[in-house]
Amino acid sequence: MKSFKPANEIQDLQYFGEFGGVNPSISDSSTYTFLSAKTMFDTFEGNADGCYLYSRHTTPSNLYLGEALAAMEGTETANVAATGMGAITPALLQLCQAGDHIVSSRTIYGGTYAFLKNFTPRLGIETSFVDITKLDVVEAAITKNTKVLYCESVSNPLLEVADISGLAQIAKKHNLKLLVDNTFSPLTITPANLGADVVLHSLTKFINGSSDTMGGVICGTQEFIDNLRNVNDGASMLLGSSMDSLRASSILKNMRTLHIRMKQHSHNAHFLAQKFEEDGLKTVYPGLKSHPSHKLFTSMMNKEYGYGGMLTIDVGSLEKANQLMELMQERNLGYLAVSLGFYKTLFSAPGSSTSSEIPEDEQKEMGLTGGLIRFSIGLDNDIKRTYEQMKSCMKQLAIL
Ligand SMILES: *Cc1c(COP(=O)(O)O)cnc(C)c1O
């Protein structure tokens, strides 16, 4: 494994433009010329390092972004994709074939859940969904066909925390790959340092942070990433969810402020979570002592980045949740929108939006109630003022 070089040291990464520009030049080409036919053949076979062939494979701009993300996650290398799902689905399909089995957390992103629940069974891949916080339950779900253990470091939308070291031990014992989606906690948690084999992100969220593009990444060993890009049987290469170079270069630029943004997201979310809890609202935030995995999160986190920008409150009913979100939007406290990591606060009711792929009875079982509001807390400079204005909305609606 390469030395750990997180993105707060992104100033250590040095890619010049071809004319000495302080930003790397953007490789705005879908195809590349060769001076000799032999080099073209070698490139196709993957034997000509540093040569580019065709941009579905990779591009210089995509490699720069991938290397920055690999440095952040402490993996050998990384492959960027057009979306988060465009990273998650090929990673799973590269590791599993017909007859194989996956053990997954039951509280995961709705799209990933739908893929494992409804799509991969068509390919003969079955998934058992378990309570990821119970290691004995996880281990009991493993069969002789299991190939992959799948979870999110901090789960969407319930903010359950995975014991990544504990899961890594189980994975090692049973010869499985541990895949961790770290979208909710970039920099805060570094899954590969805790034993994860593959780390996934939707770059659409905190990492890009400006809600202007989609993106994804698979961070892993050189061997795994080479396999994904293989022209003959690589899932990333063949399923074709490649990122565009212009987007890769804009995400790399945004990534340079990720460490500053994460600290502010965490600071603001922690402040609001404490206040909401004091006010008697049912509040879930990993930084609160009342969070069932507060100690676990504290033991895993890179402390300077705090407990992250995501929190949930439960206001009792979907009707109240909708009223509150509409009123907060009217008062310019944030947007009623899905997604996360924006400079403004975003809020949504997961049961009827981002997790609507999960059937209602299963939502209930996992504790996903109708009155739940998920907040991605923004970069507000005066969070105290934001809190007071949110409180006044809650008072007006008799939530407080
Ligand atoms: C948004 C999200 C995804 C999917 O990413 P896209 O960029 O929308 O494809 C996957 N996992 C988590 C945790 C997410 O929040």
Side-chain angles (χ1 to χ4, degrees):
M1 198 183 283
K2 263 199 303 202
S3 65
F4 179 52
K5 213 170 28 163
N8 63 325
E9 284 154 36
I10 197 162
Q11 69 274 11
D12 294 345
L13 298 174
Q14 192 180 50
Y15 312 122
F16 291 123
E18 61 185 309
F19 302 109
V22 294
N23 290 304
S25 308
I26 302 168
S27 53
D28 195 21
S29 294
S30 58
T31 188
Y32 300 81
T33 65
F34 288 85
L35 293 177
S36 93
K38 167 83 169 63
T39 319
M40 180 185 267
F41 177 76
D42 289 345
T43 306
F44 225 98
E45 298 286 299
N47 299 328
D49 243 13
C51 288
Y52 297 91
L53 180 82
Y54 185 64
S55 286
R56 176 150 39 77
H57 210 160
T58 191
T59 74
S61 299
N62 289 9
L63 286 187
Y64 294 142
L65 176 62
E67 284 312 302
L69 289 159
M72 174 177 90
E73 288 297 359
T75 60
E76 283 177 8
T77 189
N79 193 47
V80 296
T83 67
M85 289 307 291
I88 293 165
T89 56
L92 287 165
L93 293 177
Q94 193 70 31
L95 293 169
C96 297
Q97 49 192 346
D100 287 346
H101 175 250
I102 296 169
V103 175
S104 169
S105 165
R106 64 184 185 185
T107 55
I108 51 173
Y109 179 69
T112 312
Y113 178 84
F115 180 68
L116 292 175
K117 176 94 176 174
N118 307 323
F119 195 96
T120 49
R122 290 166 35 184
L123 308 173
I125 301 165
E126 297 297 331
T127 300
S128 301
F129 295 96
V130 298
D131 180 344
I132 203 73
T133 63
K134 301 203 168 86
L135 293 181
D136 53 332
V137 173
V138 172
E139 189 159 22
I142 294 170
T143 72
K144 65 181 193 323
N145 297 326
T146 309
K147 292 281 155 48
V148 164
L149 210 50
Y150 187 91
C151 69
E152 297 174 1
S153 330
V154 180
S155 81
N156 179 33
L158 293 175
L159 310 183
E160 286 177 355
V161 178
D163 177 354
I164 297 171
S165 307
L167 292 167
Q169 272 174 25
I170 294 173
K172 198 158 267 156
K173 180 171 157 198
H174 295 271
N175 203 20
L176 318 177
K177 295 286 182 218
L178 175 61
L179 271 60
V180 179
D181 179 339
N182 200 29
T183 300
F184 273 37
S185 46
L187 290 177
T188 306
I189 292 178
T190 312
N193 284 3
L194 301 166
D197 297 292
V198 177
V199 182
L200 303 153
H201 278 282
S202 166
L203 306 178
T204 315
K205 317 294 172 51
F206 286 107
I207 291 180
N208 183 57
S210 55
S211 295
D212 56 354
T213 185
M214 306 203 69
V217 70
I218 306 169
C219 303
T221 61
Q222 188 69 52
E223 186 189 3
F224 184 55
I225 300 300
D226 285 348
N227 290 344
L228 282 161
R229 286 191 190 136
N230 188 296
V231 289
N232 294 306
D233 62 2
S236 291
M237 181 68 182
L238 298 176
L239 294 172
S241 172
S242 304
M243 180 175 274
D244 181 76
S245 286
L246 291 171
R247 285 312 193 179
S249 88
S250 74
I251 295 171
L252 179 64
K253 285 179 233 174
N254 283 0
M255 220 189 131
R256 295 167 179 166
T257 58
L258 178 63
H259 57 302
I260 302 167
R261 289 186 278 114
M262 284 314 295
K263 287 176 190 174
Q264 187 73 7
H265 284 302
S266 288
H267 172 265
N268 287 351
H270 207 149
F271 180 87
L272 289 178
Q274 276 170 338
K275 290 289 183 195
F276 290 158
E277 188 170 64
E278 278 165 31
D279 289 338
L281 283 169
K282 214 171 130 197
T283 309
V284 175
Y285 182 69
L288 294 176
K289 290 209 172 66
S290 58
H291 190 290
S293 301
H294 173 69
K295 281 209 176 93
L296 172 64
F297 195 107
T298 307
S299 73
M300 293 197 298
M301 73 195 283
N302 300 313
K303 301 228 163 24
E304 64 195 290
Y305 300 106
Y307 290 88
M310 303 300 296
L311 67 87
T312 68
I313 58 172
D314 192 333
V315 296
S317 69
L318 179 59
E319 195 195 356
K320 276 271 183 255
N322 288 341
Q323 285 171 354
L324 178 61
M325 291 190 294
E326 285 169 11
L327 186 59
M328 287 191 298
Q329 176 162 259
E330 216 176 277
R331 304 244 175 110
N332 196 18
L333 295 171
Y335 295 135
L336 172 46
V338 299
S339 198
L340 39 132
F342 200 38
Y343 81 104
K344 282 192 83 99
T345 294
L346 302 178
F347 31 78
S348 57
S352 52
S353 61
T354 49
S355 295
S356 56
E357 293 94 337
I358 302 170
E360 229 166 271
D361 53 326
E362 287 176 42
Q363 288 192 18
K364 198 170 271 168
E365 200 191 313
M366 61 177 70
L368 216 168
T369 50
L372 196 76
I373 303 178
R374 182 187 81 176
F375 286 80
S376 163
I377 303 301
L379 300 172
D380 309 26
N381 191 45
D382 186 351
I383 195 64
K384 203 159 166 273
R385 186 189 70 161
T386 305
Y387 164 66
E388 264 141 28
Q389 291 175 355
M390 284 180 172
K391 190 170 171 175
S392 119
C393 294
M394 291 178 195
K395 282 199 163 141
Q396 184 177 326
L397 297 170
I399 291 165
L400 286 183

